[in-house]
Amino acid sequence: MDHSLSLATAQRTLKQRNALGLACLVLAGAVALLLLVGATRDREVILQPIARSPLTISSSGVSRDYLEMVTRDTALMTLNRSPENLQYWMDSVLAIATPESHGALKRDLLKIVDEQRGSSVAQFFTIDGMRVDPERLTSEVSGTLHTIVGSKEVSAEPRRFRYHWAYRGLSLRLRGFGMVQSKDKED
């Protein structure tokens, strides 16, 4: 009788172990499936409505409205400068730059800072048009570049600037920018 009781107990224990093992395999499969779905699913962040419509950014790409707003703000930041804010201006531009373009941008910005430091030359840009291309991650702004020496405006010339962007994950970063000399060339 002890033999049959211990055999029944062993059988019950084996069934419980097998059921627990099967439950663990099913749960592990469910976790793996959820990780796979989570890793391949597009992420979205809803941004506060500061424009004519609510904005979202997604890991699948940049929306036209978002690229336009970022270009507008970046153009105003990069093209408005005076001798009093040169360090802040350079730091702000470098803060939104991609890591791989950081060195080249800093070199170019330092040239401008060195030329303008100690002078009384300031500039500001008034935007009158913008084109954005979310597929190529480029944007162009056109408008008037005003140059002021002391307190007198010495020039107001129409100019067009092109911005190149990089988009990784949910981060849009500046790769570079420059003045467009003609239809296809840029500075």
Side-chain angles (χ1 to χ4, degrees):
M1 189 161 209
D2 284 333
H3 185 293
S4 65
L5 185 61
S6 74
L7 184 59
T9 304
Q11 291 288 335
R12 190 172 57 241
T13 304
L14 282 175
K15 285 181 185 178
Q16 288 175 351
R17 183 200 67 179
N18 290 343
L20 184 60
L22 182 61
C24 286
L25 285 175
V26 168
L27 289 175
V31 167
L33 181 64
L34 288 173
L35 286 174
L36 180 65
V37 168
T40 59
R41 187 171 172 219
D42 291 338
R43 298 179 296 170
E44 289 188 357
V45 174
I46 298 173
L47 302 174
Q48 291 298 320
I50 55 175
R52 58 188 168 266
S53 63
L55 295 174
T56 61
I57 56 176
S58 170
S59 59
S60 64
V62 178
S63 72
R64 178 172 293 282
D65 288 339
Y66 182 67
L67 183 58
E68 184 177 319
M69 287 180 56
V70 170
T71 299
R72 179 199 64 210
D73 293 346
T74 302
L76 293 176
M77 177 183 58
T78 57
L79 300 174
N80 295 339
R81 65 176 183 266
S82 69
E84 292 83 19
N85 75 343
L86 287 174
Q87 188 62 46
Y88 175 78
W89 170 76
M90 184 174 72
D91 293 342
S92 297
V93 173
L94 293 175
I96 63 169
T98 61
E100 56 271 7
S101 65
H102 197 271
L105 269 175
K106 186 170 185 174
R107 179 192 67 229
D108 294 341
L109 295 176
L110 279 173
K111 286 180 194 174
I112 295 169
V113 168
D114 289 342
E115 289 173 2
Q116 201 169 358
R117 186 174 283 134
S119 72
S120 60
V121 177
Q123 75 176 32
F124 69 95
F125 187 71
T126 54
I127 298 173
D128 63 20
M130 184 180 313
R131 289 188 326 209
V132 295
D133 185 356
E135 276 73 43
R136 293 181 44 216
L137 290 175
T138 59
S139 50
E140 287 187 9
V141 293
S142 57
T144 306
L145 184 64
H146 302 268
T147 305
I148 299 170
V149 176
S151 61
K152 184 176 181 179
E153 183 173 342
V154 294
S155 72
E157 299 173 334
R159 295 280 188 243
R160 193 170 72 210
F161 294 88
R162 184 174 296 141
Y163 292 84
H164 299 278
W165 303 95
Y167 190 65
R168 292 185 193 106
L170 294 175
S171 178
L172 183 65
R173 297 293 199 145
L174 182 65
R175 281 188 12 229
F177 69 99
M179 187 169 57
V180 177
Q181 298 293 340
S182 67
K183 275 267 190 224
D184 299 319
K185 292 182 186 176
E186 71 179 64
D187 187 20

